[in-house]
Amino acid sequence: MHKGLFGRKIGMTQTFDSEGNKVAVTVLEVGPCPVVRVKTTNGKDGYDAIVIGFGARKPKHTTKPYGGQFKAAGIEPTLHLREMRVTANDVDGVEAGLVLDAAAFSVGQKVDVVARTKGRGFTGVIKRHNFHMPKASHGTHEVFRHGGSLGTRTTPGRVFLGKKMAGRYGFERVTAQNLTVTQVDVTQNLVVVRGSVPGPNGAVVWIQEAVRTVK
Amino acid sequence: MSLVHTVQRAHLRFDLPNFRTGDTVRVHGRIIEGEKERIQVYEGVVLRRTGSGVDSTFTVRKISNGIGVERIFPLHSPRILKLEVMSSGKVRRSRIYYLRDLQGRAARLRKIDPRGANESDAAE
């Protein structure tokens, strides 16, 4: 597991790089993420991990078992909670109550951003599976965005499993890999990454060190 | 949107003069050719200004060796070293695309004094 933090997608804009090229960027508000618990190999958990939270959860939405996790750390229950596996070195000096922020990222660093894409509802095959549109002329009628035949005839006499058809599209977990951090502002919890990020503006995202970096 | 604006603000330029459609401008652009870097001066009539904030651009048209050339510049680009407003033309619309269909004497704009006082005929 790679080190990461919760954040919020604020929106996209353009900036100029040092050579004057236009760059499309996404503005993310990252953190503050309090450390809720630290697990260690030598402790009762038997492995190294850091549990971090993000956002405020209303007391009336907090169940006792959920809220209990925060009692030991002495912090308010957070809306989001996630555990990340780390190495023993990373656990050193980290303790519950410590607040992590945008300072965890640096300009030029490669990061992955994980988020849920915009929900598109029940969607046809053209948009959902990038099918081609049927012919509009040469005698075609009443079929504008259909997917065509579902299969053959008596043999095999059924539709194959996994046949691409219309259905619910979007609201799925997607990772945008290897985005370059172009700007970090710790005072405003601001991280700007190059390129686009899944999800609508305002969505909660998970931003972490890039898992695969291009050699 | 506030955080997006703070990111944009750092990239905005406030040093450029005001100009509008119909003005004749001289753009001193930085051109990078491999290792070398030089300054190219491009002078022409502003056909349009588009966008807002860091996204704004303007189109400059000139006649180069008898051929109409149009270049679109991002207004806030650091590649624009200097922008000079040579003269202002009298125009009644914000997009003067009709200039593309006109040639020679017809493609001139009536000049206006920056203060809007005297109006006189002059080549574009």
Side-chain angles (χ1 to χ4, degrees), chain B residues 69-118:
Chain B
V69 178
E70 287 176 17
R71 276 193 71 177
I72 302 169
F73 294 95
L75 181 62
H76 298 283
S77 170
R79 284 197 190 161
I80 297 176
L81 296 176
K82 195 161 85 170
L83 187 102
E84 294 172 273
V85 181
M86 307 310 288
S87 65
S88 297
K90 185 179 178 181
V91 282
R92 303 180 72 162
R93 54 205 69 221
S94 64
R95 313 277 153 106
I96 50 171
Y97 299 141
Y98 64 82
L99 222 56
R100 291 168 177 165
D101 302 325
L102 303 178
Q103 287 183 352
R105 286 172 63 85
R108 293 169 310 164
L109 295 171
R110 186 179 283 246
K111 273 193 181 166
I112 51 170
D113 190 83
R115 272 160 251 119
N118 305 314

Coordinates of all heavy atoms in Angstrom, one line a residue, chain B residues 69-118:
Chain B
V69 N -3.4 36.0 -42.6 CA -2.9 35.1 -41.6 C -3.6 35.5 -40.3 O -3.7 36.7 -40.0 CB -1.4 35.2 -41.4 CG1 -0.9 34.3 -40.3 CG2 -0.7 34.9 -42.7
E70 N -4.1 34.5 -39.5 CA -4.7 34.8 -38.2 C -4.0 34.0 -37.2 O -3.7 32.8 -37.4 CB -6.2 34.4 -38.2 CG -7.0 35.4 -39.0 CD -8.5 35.0 -39.1 OE1 -8.9 34.2 -38.3 OE2 -9.2 35.6 -39.9
R71 N -3.6 34.6 -36.1 CA -3.0 33.9 -35.0 C -3.8 34.1 -33.7 O -4.3 35.2 -33.5 CB -1.6 34.4 -34.7 CG -0.5 33.8 -35.6 CD 0.9 34.1 -35.2 NE 1.2 33.4 -33.9 CZ 2.4 33.4 -33.3 NH1 3.3 34.1 -33.9 NH2 2.6 32.8 -32.2
I72 N -3.9 33.1 -33.0 CA -4.7 33.1 -31.7 C -3.7 33.1 -30.6 O -2.8 32.2 -30.5 CB -5.7 31.9 -31.6 CG1 -6.6 31.9 -32.7 CG2 -6.4 32.0 -30.2 CD1 -7.4 30.7 -32.8
F73 N -3.7 34.1 -29.7 CA -2.8 34.2 -28.6 C -3.5 34.0 -27.3 O -4.6 34.7 -27.1 CB -2.1 35.6 -28.5 CG -1.2 35.9 -29.7 CD1 -1.6 36.6 -30.8 CD2 0.1 35.5 -29.7 CE1 -0.8 36.9 -31.9 CE2 1.0 35.8 -30.7 CZ 0.5 36.5 -31.8
P74 N -3.0 33.2 -26.4 CA -3.6 33.2 -25.0 C -3.2 34.5 -24.4 O -2.0 34.9 -24.4 CB -2.9 32.0 -24.3 CG -2.3 31.2 -25.4 CD -2.0 32.2 -26.5
L75 N -4.2 35.3 -23.9 CA -3.9 36.6 -23.4 C -2.9 36.6 -22.3 O -2.0 37.5 -22.2 CB -5.2 37.3 -22.9 CG -5.1 38.7 -22.4 CD1 -4.7 39.6 -23.4 CD2 -6.5 39.1 -21.8
H76 N -2.9 35.6 -21.4 CA -2.1 35.7 -20.2 C -0.8 34.8 -20.4 O -0.1 34.6 -19.4 CB -2.8 35.2 -19.0 CG -4.0 36.0 -18.7 ND1 -3.9 37.2 -18.0 CD2 -5.3 35.9 -19.0 CE1 -5.1 37.8 -17.9 NE2 -6.0 37.0 -18.5
S77 N -0.5 34.5 -21.6 CA 0.7 33.7 -21.9 C 2.0 34.4 -21.6 O 2.2 35.5 -21.9 CB 0.7 33.3 -23.4 OG 1.9 32.7 -23.7
P78 N 2.9 33.7 -20.8 CA 4.2 34.3 -20.6 C 5.0 34.4 -21.8 O 6.1 35.1 -21.8 CB 4.8 33.3 -19.6 CG 4.0 32.1 -19.5 CD 2.7 32.4 -20.2
R79 N 4.6 33.8 -22.9 CA 5.4 34.0 -24.2 C 5.1 35.3 -24.8 O 5.8 35.7 -25.8 CB 4.9 32.9 -25.1 CG 5.5 31.5 -24.7 CD 5.5 30.6 -25.9 NE 5.9 29.2 -25.4 CZ 5.6 28.1 -26.0 NH1 4.9 28.2 -27.1 NH2 5.9 27.0 -25.5
I80 N 4.1 36.1 -24.4 CA 4.0 37.4 -24.9 C 4.9 38.3 -24.0 O 4.6 38.5 -22.9 CB 2.5 37.9 -24.8 CG1 1.6 37.0 -25.7 CG2 2.4 39.3 -25.2 CD1 0.2 37.3 -25.6
L81 N 5.9 38.9 -24.7 CA 6.8 39.7 -23.9 C 6.3 41.1 -23.8 O 6.5 41.8 -22.8 CB 8.2 39.7 -24.6 CG 8.9 38.3 -24.6 CD1 10.2 38.4 -25.4 CD2 9.2 37.9 -23.2
K82 N 5.7 41.6 -24.9 CA 5.2 43.0 -24.9 C 4.0 43.0 -25.9 O 4.0 42.4 -26.9 CB 6.3 43.9 -25.4 CG 6.0 45.4 -25.0 CD 7.3 46.2 -25.1 CE 7.6 46.7 -26.5 NZ 8.6 47.7 -26.6
L83 N 3.1 43.9 -25.5 CA 1.9 44.1 -26.4 C 1.7 45.6 -26.5 O 1.6 46.3 -25.5 CB 0.7 43.4 -25.8 CG -0.6 43.4 -26.6 CD1 -0.7 42.1 -27.2 CD2 -1.8 43.8 -25.9
E84 N 1.7 46.1 -27.8 CA 1.6 47.5 -28.0 C 0.3 47.7 -28.8 O 0.0 47.0 -29.8 CB 2.7 48.0 -28.9 CG 4.1 48.0 -28.2 CD 5.2 48.4 -29.1 OE1 5.7 47.5 -29.8 OE2 5.5 49.6 -29.2
V85 N -0.5 48.7 -28.4 CA -1.7 49.1 -29.1 C -1.2 50.2 -30.0 O -0.9 51.3 -29.6 CB -2.8 49.5 -28.2 CG1 -4.0 49.9 -29.0 CG2 -3.1 48.4 -27.2
M86 N -1.3 50.0 -31.4 CA -0.8 50.9 -32.3 C -1.9 52.0 -32.6 O -1.6 53.2 -32.7 CB -0.3 50.3 -33.6 CG 0.7 49.1 -33.4 SD 2.1 49.6 -32.4 CE 2.9 50.7 -33.5
S87 N -3.1 51.5 -32.9 CA -4.2 52.4 -33.1 C -5.5 51.7 -32.9 O -5.5 50.4 -32.7 CB -4.2 52.9 -34.6 OG -4.4 51.7 -35.4
S88 N -6.6 52.4 -32.7 CA -7.9 51.8 -32.5 C -8.8 52.1 -33.7 O -8.7 53.1 -34.3 CB -8.5 52.5 -31.2 OG -7.7 52.2 -30.1
G89 N -9.5 51.1 -34.0 CA -10.4 51.2 -35.2 C -11.9 51.2 -34.7 O -12.2 50.7 -33.6
K90 N -12.7 51.9 -35.5 CA -14.1 52.0 -35.1 C -14.8 50.8 -35.6 O -14.9 50.5 -36.7 CB -14.7 53.3 -35.7 CG -16.1 53.5 -35.3 CD -16.7 54.7 -35.9 CE -18.2 54.9 -35.5 NZ -18.8 56.1 -36.0
V91 N -15.3 50.0 -34.6 CA -16.1 48.8 -35.0 C -17.4 48.8 -34.2 O -17.5 49.4 -33.1 CB -15.3 47.5 -34.6 CG1 -14.3 47.2 -35.7 CG2 -14.7 47.6 -33.3
R92 N -18.4 48.1 -34.8 CA -19.7 48.2 -34.1 C -20.1 46.8 -33.6 O -21.2 46.6 -33.1 CB -20.8 48.7 -35.1 CG -20.4 50.0 -35.7 CD -21.4 50.5 -36.7 NE -22.7 50.9 -36.0 CZ -23.6 51.7 -36.6 NH1 -23.4 52.1 -37.8 NH2 -24.7 51.9 -35.9
R93 N -19.2 45.8 -33.7 CA -19.5 44.5 -33.2 C -18.2 44.0 -32.5 O -17.1 44.4 -32.7 CB -20.1 43.6 -34.2 CG -19.2 43.4 -35.5 CD -20.1 43.0 -36.6 NE -21.0 44.1 -37.0 CZ -22.2 44.0 -37.4 NH1 -22.8 42.8 -37.4 NH2 -22.9 45.0 -37.7
S94 N -18.4 42.9 -31.7 CA -17.3 42.4 -30.9 C -16.5 41.4 -31.7 O -15.3 41.1 -31.4 CB -17.8 41.8 -29.6 OG -18.6 40.6 -29.9
R95 N -17.1 40.8 -32.8 CA -16.3 39.8 -33.6 C -16.4 40.4 -35.1 O -17.5 40.4 -35.7 CB -17.0 38.5 -33.6 CG -17.4 38.0 -32.2 CD -16.2 37.4 -31.5 NE -16.2 37.5 -30.1 CZ -16.5 36.5 -29.3 NH1 -16.8 35.3 -29.8 NH2 -16.6 36.6 -28.0
I96 N -15.3 40.9 -35.6 CA -15.3 41.5 -36.9 C -14.8 40.5 -38.0 O -13.9 40.7 -38.7 CB -14.5 42.8 -36.9 CG1 -13.1 42.6 -36.3 CG2 -15.3 43.9 -36.2 CD1 -12.2 43.8 -36.6
Y97 N -15.6 39.3 -38.1 CA -15.2 38.3 -39.0 C -15.4 38.8 -40.5 O -14.8 38.3 -41.4 CB -16.1 37.1 -38.8 CG -15.9 36.4 -37.5 CD1 -17.0 35.9 -36.8 CD2 -14.7 36.3 -36.9 CE1 -16.9 35.3 -35.5 CE2 -14.5 35.8 -35.6 CZ -15.6 35.2 -35.0 OH -15.4 34.7 -33.7
Y98 N -16.3 39.8 -40.7 CA -16.5 40.3 -42.0 C -15.3 40.8 -42.7 O -15.2 40.9 -43.9 CB -17.6 41.4 -42.0 CG -17.3 42.7 -41.2 CD1 -16.5 43.7 -41.9 CD2 -17.7 42.9 -39.9 CE1 -16.2 44.8 -41.2 CE2 -17.4 44.0 -39.3 CZ -16.6 45.0 -39.9 OH -16.3 46.2 -39.2
L99 N -14.3 41.1 -41.9 CA -13.0 41.6 -42.4 C -12.3 40.6 -43.3 O -11.6 40.9 -44.2 CB -12.0 42.0 -41.3 CG -11.2 43.2 -41.4 CD1 -12.1 44.4 -41.6 CD2 -10.4 43.4 -40.1
R100 N -12.6 39.3 -43.1 CA -12.0 38.2 -43.9 C -12.5 38.3 -45.3 O -11.8 37.8 -46.2 CB -12.4 36.9 -43.3 CG -11.8 36.6 -41.9 CD -12.5 35.4 -41.3 NE -11.9 35.0 -40.0 CZ -12.4 34.2 -39.1 NH1 -13.6 33.7 -39.4 NH2 -11.8 34.0 -38.0
D101 N -13.7 38.8 -45.5 CA -14.2 38.8 -46.9 C -13.8 40.0 -47.6 O -14.2 40.2 -48.8 CB -15.7 38.6 -46.8 CG -16.1 37.3 -46.1 OD1 -15.4 36.3 -46.3 OD2 -17.2 37.4 -45.4
L102 N -13.2 41.0 -47.0 CA -12.9 42.2 -47.6 C -11.4 42.3 -48.0 O -10.6 41.7 -47.3 CB -13.2 43.4 -46.7 CG -14.7 43.4 -46.2 CD1 -14.9 44.6 -45.2 CD2 -15.6 43.6 -47.4
Q103 N -11.1 43.0 -49.0 CA -9.7 43.1 -49.5 C -9.4 44.6 -49.7 O -10.2 45.4 -50.0 CB -9.5 42.4 -50.8 CG -9.5 40.9 -50.6 CD -9.2 40.2 -51.9 OE1 -9.2 40.8 -52.9 NE2 -9.1 38.8 -51.8
G104 N -8.1 44.9 -49.6 CA -7.5 46.2 -49.9 C -8.2 47.3 -49.2 O -8.3 47.3 -47.9
R105 N -8.6 48.3 -49.9 CA -9.2 49.5 -49.3 C -10.4 49.2 -48.4 O -10.6 49.9 -47.4 CB -9.5 50.6 -50.4 CG -8.3 51.2 -51.0 CD -8.7 52.1 -52.2 NE -9.6 53.2 -51.8 CZ -9.1 54.4 -51.4 NH1 -7.8 54.6 -51.2 NH2 -9.9 55.3 -51.0
A106 N -11.2 48.2 -48.9 CA -12.4 48.0 -48.2 C -12.1 47.4 -46.8 O -13.0 47.5 -45.9 CB -13.3 47.0 -49.0
A107 N -11.0 46.8 -46.6 CA -10.7 46.1 -45.4 C -10.1 47.0 -44.3 O -9.5 46.6 -43.3 CB -9.7 44.9 -45.6
R108 N -10.2 48.3 -44.6 CA -9.7 49.3 -43.6 C -10.8 49.6 -42.6 O -11.9 49.5 -42.8 CB -9.3 50.6 -44.3 CG -8.1 50.4 -45.2 CD -7.9 51.7 -46.0 NE -9.2 52.1 -46.6 CZ -9.5 53.2 -47.1 NH1 -8.6 54.2 -47.1 NH2 -10.6 53.5 -47.7
L109 N -10.3 49.9 -41.4 CA -11.2 50.4 -40.4 C -11.0 51.8 -40.1 O -9.9 52.3 -40.2 CB -11.0 49.6 -39.1 CG -11.2 48.1 -39.1 CD1 -10.7 47.5 -37.8 CD2 -12.7 47.8 -39.3
R110 N -12.1 52.5 -39.9 CA -12.0 54.0 -39.5 C -11.3 54.1 -38.2 O -11.7 53.4 -37.2 CB -13.4 54.5 -39.5 CG -13.5 56.0 -39.3 CD -14.9 56.5 -39.3 NE -15.4 56.5 -40.6 CZ -15.8 57.7 -41.3 NH1 -15.7 58.8 -40.6 NH2 -16.3 57.6 -42.5
K111 N -10.3 54.9 -38.1 CA -9.6 55.0 -36.9 C -10.3 55.9 -35.9 O -10.9 56.9 -36.3 CB -8.2 55.6 -37.2 CG -7.2 54.5 -37.5 CD -5.8 55.0 -37.5 CE -4.8 53.8 -37.9 NZ -3.5 54.4 -38.2
I112 N -10.1 55.6 -34.7 CA -10.6 56.5 -33.6 C -9.5 56.8 -32.7 O -8.6 56.1 -32.4 CB -11.8 55.9 -32.9 CG1 -11.5 54.5 -32.3 CG2 -13.1 55.8 -33.7 CD1 -12.5 53.9 -31.4
D113 N -9.6 58.1 -32.2 CA -8.7 58.6 -31.2 C -8.9 57.8 -30.0 O -10.0 57.4 -29.6 CB -9.0 60.0 -31.0 CG -7.9 60.7 -30.1 OD1 -6.8 61.0 -30.7 OD2 -8.1 60.7 -28.9
P114 N -7.9 57.4 -29.2 CA -8.1 56.7 -28.0 C -9.1 57.3 -27.1 O -9.8 56.6 -26.4 CB -6.7 56.7 -27.3 CG -5.7 56.8 -28.5 CD -6.5 57.7 -29.5
R115 N -9.1 58.6 -27.1 CA -10.1 59.3 -26.2 C -11.5 59.4 -26.9 O -12.4 59.9 -26.4 CB -9.6 60.7 -25.9 CG -8.7 60.7 -24.6 CD -7.9 61.9 -24.5 NE -6.5 61.6 -24.8 CZ -5.8 62.1 -25.8 NH1 -6.3 62.9 -26.6 NH2 -4.5 61.7 -25.9
G116 N -11.6 59.0 -28.2 CA -12.8 59.0 -28.9 C -13.2 60.4 -29.4 O -14.3 60.6 -29.8
A117 N -12.2 61.3 -29.5 CA -12.5 62.6 -29.9 C -12.5 62.8 -31.5 O -13.6 62.9 -32.0 CB -11.5 63.6 -29.3
N118 N -11.4 62.7 -32.1 CA -11.3 62.9 -33.6 C -11.4 61.6 -34.3 O -10.8 60.6 -33.9 CB -10.0 63.5 -33.9 CG -9.8 64.8 -33.1 OD1 -10.7 65.6 -33.0 ND2 -8.6 65.0 -32.6

